[in-house]
Amino acid sequence: MLRQRLFKKYFLATAFIVLFSLTVMMVIMVFAFSNNIADSNYATLNKTCSSISDFVAVAVENPASHNGEREIYYIMKNLADFSDIDVYFTDPTGTIRVCACEKWGADALCDHSGSILPPNFIERAKESAFHEVGTLDLYRTPHYVAA
């Protein structure tokens, strides 16, 4: 009888320690995984921004060899489809001129066309490349944003 109670005590203590340890490890893994996903998303956004910026810079320097907004759209669309992201091309005031969505590809207009991004976002984008989580006044919920 005494052995059974002692066994129960040790068993419960051991079970508690094991469950507590597993819970702590799972919490640590969730945070690590979450940070890894965020870093991966930011890296993808930054690479996409860089690729589109490079292409637009070449197109602006040599407009005769490029097809304007239509060619920019196809580059953006391919990168957006590959990365599963939304991509917008704006003028210096922040007005969206080209969107990588299907609707813009069909009509050269979409729900985003003519939308104006927040001035503070445009100013920060002009200063240097950056990334954050925000809505850009386009989304209801926060998204990863890079410029």
Side-chain angles (χ1 to χ4, degrees):
M1 183 82 156
L2 183 61
R3 281 186 164 174
Q4 277 185 328
R5 275 198 265 164
L6 192 57
F7 175 76
K8 271 187 178 178
K9 282 183 184 178
Y10 283 131
F11 179 76
L12 291 175
T14 304
F16 174 76
I17 290 170
V18 167
L19 288 176
F20 182 75
S21 299
L22 288 174
T23 303
V24 169
M25 286 185 353
M26 292 301 280
V27 167
I28 291 170
M29 287 179 62
V30 165
F31 282 118
F33 187 66
S34 175
N35 286 337
N36 186 24
I37 288 174
D39 290 344
S40 175
N41 286 343
Y42 283 135
T44 300
L45 284 172
N46 287 332
K47 286 179 184 176
T48 302
C49 287
S50 177
S51 297
I52 291 171
S53 296
D54 292 345
F55 176 78
V56 170
V58 169
V60 168
E61 289 174 8
N62 192 3
S65 67
H66 293 282
N67 208 1
E69 290 181 349
R70 200 39 88 183
E71 192 168 348
I72 292 171
Y73 165 76
Y74 287 117
I75 296 293
M76 288 171 43
K77 179 71 175 143
N78 287 334
L79 289 170
D81 287 346
F82 177 76
S83 304
D84 193 27
I85 58 176
D86 296 334
V87 180
Y88 307 108
F89 177 71
T90 68
D91 62 18
T93 64
T95 304
I96 295 176
R97 294 194 42 205
V98 180
C99 176
C101 66
E102 296 286 336
K103 195 172 182 183
W104 197 97
D107 303 331
L109 283 173
C110 71
D111 299 337
H112 305 112
S113 297
S115 296
I116 300 174
L117 300 181
N120 62 340
F121 179 82
I122 298 302
E123 291 304 316
R124 288 179 57 201
K126 286 178 182 177
E127 291 172 12
S128 66
F130 73 95
H131 57 267
E132 66 184 14
V133 175
T135 63
L136 290 180
D137 295 340
L138 296 173
Y139 305 109
R140 291 184 188 150
T141 59
H143 287 62
Y144 292 106
V145 177

